[in-house]
Amino acid sequence: MSCFLQEYLLDSQNMEYGNEISSSSTFASSSYLSNGSGVEAATSADPGTNLEILSLRKLGGSLEKLLVDEEFDYSDAEIVVEGNVGVGVNRCILAARSHYFHELFRKGRNDKEQGKPKYLMSELLPFGRVGYEAFKVFLNYLYTGKVKSSPREVSTCVDDTCSHDACGPLINYSLELMYASATFQINELVLLVQRHLLNIVEKALVEDVIPILVAAFHYQINQLLSDCIQIVATSDLDNVCLEKELPQEVYGKIRSLRLKPQQEAEPGAVELDPILEKRIRRIHKALDSDDVELIKLLLKESNVTLDDAYALHYAAAYCDPKIVKELVSLGMGDLNLRNPRGYTILHVAARRKEPSVLVALLNKGACVAETTFDGETAVVICKRLTRPKDYNENKRQGELSNKDRLCIDVLERVMRNSESENLGVSSLVIADDLHMKLDYYENRVSFARLLYPAEAKVAMEIADADSNIREVDLNESPTIKTKRLQLRLQTLFKTVETGRRYFPHCSEVLDKFLVDDMSDPSLFEEGSSEEQRVKKRRFTELKEELLDAFYKDKADQKNNRSALSPLSSSSSSTAKQGGARYKPRRN
């Protein structure tokens, strides 16, 4: 086995650039890369060569069993990839195929730890990430010399109209293969992936070329780096975006390339006012510092507007969701303004895939039907950046929903129901009724946080639940207490209605669970006495189980916080996280 691998590596190293890798532009080829297109001709020309090729194929198939067949799992080490998933490997094969692994395993040869040694992928990679699927394809290449076809669940998007030749998931998957092959020094695979990425950058959106450029820079893949720099330099991506996302060295080179045509332009050409550019930069720096008050001051002291600085676009791309919401709430910018690329603020937010940012923009009137110059809506943008694996992920009740799926669901629902609902709580202010309704909405929000934490978090952020629900002051007057409870009720009501609008399926589950609790006690009076007793007992049992789980989770969170922070700050941190405020009331 080692002889075959050594000969294979020697053959690969002797190949000249351009002839090393199969010319296929995809990763679907299953032929041995070291043999190229001459394998089939050789098999028919020389019986001896034919036998050798068949033997090598059989050897590759036998080694593949070590990866795919549990019965042949003789792995002696584990590499833990994203999601804390351990992948078993055979150190002898990896060490023979990769000098990197040879050095890694040689250093740990004298370790006396019991069991299989474990290596964290995040600690092995100097840059980037490698997911489970990409790492399995990489390992298959090391074991067999073949590149398996790309797993569709991680290399395609969920947009049915996409050709999947340059969408976000394919780029990310290709980059993961690049990170693995470059880090672990498998040069022939680096060249194959580079050729594939060179095909992709010709078709991809310039925004999607940025991560390829950054990877090529970090791993010094020169041809790919040069092509990407040329594409970005001649694009209409603004310098603000490039300075934010690129290494300084790369940004400087692109900026110098862009300056040459400007210097050669006619004297009458329009240039950006340096004073205006300086003021815009100050606004962006204030956004980087999350300082909305400073932004107000800068706007007041100059003649620059949020729209002049494309400040809302910048915030939607890079700022904390709470800052985006504060900025939008100022009402000083056009939510449907297009930047030079033809993107509205919602389009930029769709690329970021942060549900709370999308909902904040939609609540303030951002138009979901607006398209880019290429005819893409925010929904399409989101879909073309989302993998089927993430979109179709089955989560258990109480686990966080995938953000990609949440974003698509929110945008699609608003597309179907463009009319907004203006709901109020004007009739919910009478004293006795106030307490009853308050109990109901407190319970509802608490159970939403327990059963659907991601969805509840988005709804609460939009409703300002953290800031509007305050701790009780025991010395407050009855009037102040009533106002406080009304504000609390309004906030909870807004949280519930936001959930109804954007997460109707979650709301339906909560409706079924809570309707008997407050809304219609007569439902328990239907049927015979025994049936009524069974209904009440089952409902109480279910509710108690959820409550016990809720209290247990909160107790664990409190213990964790106590272990990490001083005792004096435990009450404030609990209040900030909403740990005690939303506990369901036991009736």
Side-chain angles (χ1 to χ4, degrees), residues 136-392:
K136 290 288 284 187
V137 170
F138 171 78
L139 285 179
N140 190 274
Y141 178 75
L142 291 190
Y143 278 60
T144 70
K146 296 184 294 184
V147 179
K148 294 183 67 177
S149 58
S150 306
R152 290 189 61 81
E153 68 271 16
V154 295
S155 63
T156 62
C157 67
V158 296
D159 180 19
D160 294 334
T161 65
C162 180
S163 59
H164 307 304
D165 57 357
C167 55
L170 177 63
I171 291 174
N172 291 335
Y173 170 78
S174 303
L175 287 176
E176 288 179 20
L177 278 182
M178 176 65 80
Y179 299 145
S181 55
T183 299
F184 304 134
Q185 302 171 13
I186 308 300
N187 295 331
E188 65 272 20
L189 190 55
V190 171
L191 291 171
L192 173 64
V193 180
Q194 177 182 231
R195 184 171 298 177
H196 184 58
L197 286 170
L198 286 171
N199 288 325
I200 287 177
V201 296
E202 295 176 357
K203 310 167 188 174
L205 293 171
V206 66
E207 290 89 353
D208 294 328
V209 174
I210 295 296
I212 301 175
L213 192 163
V214 173
F217 170 77
H218 280 286
Y219 287 103
Q220 291 301 296
I221 305 172
N222 295 328
Q223 183 182 355
L224 184 61
L225 177 62
S226 176
D227 283 20
C228 289
I229 286 177
Q230 288 297 325
I231 290 172
V232 173
T234 55
S235 74
D236 54 1
L237 269 182
D238 61 85
N239 287 335
V240 173
C241 166
L242 298 181
E243 186 176 14
K244 187 77 176 176
E245 299 187 17
L246 293 178
Q248 191 60 38
E249 179 182 336
V250 178
Y251 171 68
K253 187 169 185 178
I254 290 175
R255 189 170 175 84
S256 65
L257 288 173
R258 287 183 165 184
L259 286 175
K260 288 181 180 179
Q262 294 179 11
Q263 293 170 353
E264 296 170 0
E266 296 181 2
V270 178
E271 295 183 4
L272 183 63
D273 181 358
I275 297 177
L276 176 62
E277 187 176 10
K278 186 176 181 180
R279 289 172 177 173
I280 290 175
R281 185 178 291 273
R282 286 177 178 174
I283 292 175
H284 292 161
K285 286 185 176 181
L287 285 171
D288 290 336
S289 303
D290 294 343
D291 196 337
V292 177
E293 292 302 320
L294 177 58
I295 292 171
K296 293 179 185 178
L297 183 62
L298 292 172
L299 294 174
K300 185 177 180 180
E301 292 180 347
S302 68
N303 59 349
V304 179
T305 66
L306 289 180
D307 291 346
D308 292 334
Y310 294 107
L312 291 175
H313 290 81
Y314 187 92
Y318 305 117
C319 293
D320 185 273
K322 291 184 178 180
I323 300 303
V324 177
K325 187 183 174 188
E326 285 186 46
L327 203 62
V328 170
S329 297
L330 295 178
M332 301 172 68
D334 179 2
L335 287 180
N336 297 310
L337 176 72
R338 294 180 182 275
N339 66 11
R341 289 277 297 151
Y343 281 51
T344 67
I345 299 149
L346 194 64
H347 294 148
V348 174
R351 287 192 60 83
R352 180 177 175 178
K353 296 188 296 184
E354 176 56 55
S356 53
V357 172
L358 290 172
V359 174
L361 294 172
L362 291 168
N363 270 353
K364 291 297 183 178
C367 181
V368 74
E370 291 283 352
T371 62
T372 65
F373 293 156
D374 297 326
E376 293 184 359
T377 63
V379 177
V380 172
I381 291 172
C382 250
K383 284 185 173 182
R384 294 200 172 184
L385 295 171
T386 301
R387 309 181 302 177
K389 176 184 177 180
D390 300 324
Y391 185 79
N392 299 320

Side-chain angles (χ1 to χ4, degrees), residues 468-519:
N468 287 340
I469 299 179
R470 300 177 289 110
E471 295 293 337
V472 176
D473 180 1
L474 298 179
N475 297 318
E476 66 185 1
S477 67
T479 302
I480 297 299
K481 179 180 179 180
T482 300
K483 289 182 178 180
R484 174 178 58 80
L485 293 179
Q486 289 173 355
L487 176 61
R488 187 175 186 179
L489 177 58
Q490 290 172 353
T491 302
L492 291 170
F493 184 85
K494 185 177 179 182
T495 301
V496 171
E497 293 309 319
T498 301
R500 287 188 190 280
R501 180 181 179 188
Y502 295 107
F503 312 113
H505 298 299
C506 303
S507 295
E508 288 175 8
V509 174
L510 292 170
D511 285 340
K512 292 176 182 177
F513 181 76
L514 291 172
V515 66
D516 296 339
D517 188 25
M518 294 295 294
S519 301

Side-chain angles (χ1 to χ4, degrees), residues 110-129:
N110 297 325
D111 290 349
K112 297 182 179 180
E113 294 183 8
Q114 295 182 351
K116 297 179 182 179
K118 288 188 177 182
Y119 303 90
L120 298 180
M121 179 66 75
S122 58
E123 296 179 356
L124 300 179
L125 296 176
F127 176 79
R129 58 172 291 277

Side-chain angles (χ1 to χ4, degrees), residues 433-482:
D433 189 47
L434 177 63
H435 285 283
M436 184 179 71
K437 295 292 184 181
L438 192 57
D439 280 347
Y440 171 76
Y441 284 111
E442 281 185 331
N443 279 343
R444 187 182 181 93
V445 171
S446 296
F447 283 118
R449 296 180 70 197
L450 174 64
L451 300 176
Y452 304 102
E455 291 85 345
K457 182 175 182 291
V458 172
M460 291 176 67
E461 286 179 353
I462 297 304
D464 281 329
D466 286 331
S467 60
N468 287 340
I469 299 179
R470 300 177 289 110
E471 295 293 337
V472 176
D473 180 1
L474 298 179
N475 297 318
E476 66 185 1
S477 67
T479 302
I480 297 299
K481 179 180 179 180
T482 300

Side-chain angles (χ1 to χ4, degrees), residues 400-582:
L400 287 175
S401 298
N402 182 273
K403 283 188 174 183
D404 297 12
R405 177 64 183 263
L406 274 181
C407 289
I408 293 172
D409 286 350
V410 166
L411 291 169
E412 284 187 330
R413 180 153 298 278
V414 177
M415 283 284 284
R416 289 193 296 265
N417 305 304
S418 57
E419 69 279 359
S420 60
E421 298 177 11
N422 297 316
L423 299 172
V425 289
S426 57
S427 61
L428 306 178
V429 294
I430 301 176
D432 293 338
D433 189 47
L434 177 63
H435 285 283
M436 184 179 71
K437 295 292 184 181
L438 192 57
D439 280 347
Y440 171 76
Y441 284 111
E442 281 185 331
N443 279 343
R444 187 182 181 93
V445 171
S446 296
F447 283 118
R449 296 180 70 197
L450 174 64
L451 300 176
Y452 304 102
E455 291 85 345
K457 182 175 182 291
V458 172
M460 291 176 67
E461 286 179 353
I462 297 304
D464 281 329
D466 286 331
S467 60
N468 287 340
I469 299 179
R470 300 177 289 110
E471 295 293 337
V472 176
D473 180 1
L474 298 179
N475 297 318
E476 66 185 1
S477 67
T479 302
I480 297 299
K481 179 180 179 180
T482 300
K483 289 182 178 180
R484 174 178 58 80
L485 293 179
Q486 289 173 355
L487 176 61
R488 187 175 186 179
L489 177 58
Q490 290 172 353
T491 302
L492 291 170
F493 184 85
K494 185 177 179 182
T495 301
V496 171
E497 293 309 319
T498 301
R500 287 188 190 280
R501 180 181 179 188
Y502 295 107
F503 312 113
H505 298 299
C506 303
S507 295
E508 288 175 8
V509 174
L510 292 170
D511 285 340
K512 292 176 182 177
F513 181 76
L514 291 172
V515 66
D516 296 339
D517 188 25
M518 294 295 294
S519 301
D520 191 6
S522 65
L523 292 175
F524 284 133
E525 300 173 6
E526 297 177 358
S528 63
S529 300
E530 181 63 24
E531 288 174 344
Q532 294 175 21
R533 191 161 53 253
V534 170
K535 288 181 184 178
K536 291 180 180 179
R537 184 175 68 250
R538 288 181 178 175
F539 178 82
T540 302
E541 289 173 353
L542 177 59
K543 184 174 179 180
E544 288 297 322
E545 287 178 8
L546 289 173
L547 283 170
D548 291 339
F550 181 89
Y551 292 132
K552 183 178 180 181
D553 288 343
K554 288 303 171 186
D556 291 342
Q557 292 178 14
K558 184 176 181 180
N559 292 335
N560 291 337
R561 287 195 297 271
S562 298
L564 296 173
S565 60
L567 182 62
S568 61
S569 64
S570 62
S571 61
S572 62
S573 63
T574 302
K576 183 177 181 181
Q577 298 184 27
R581 294 179 193 159
Y582 303 102

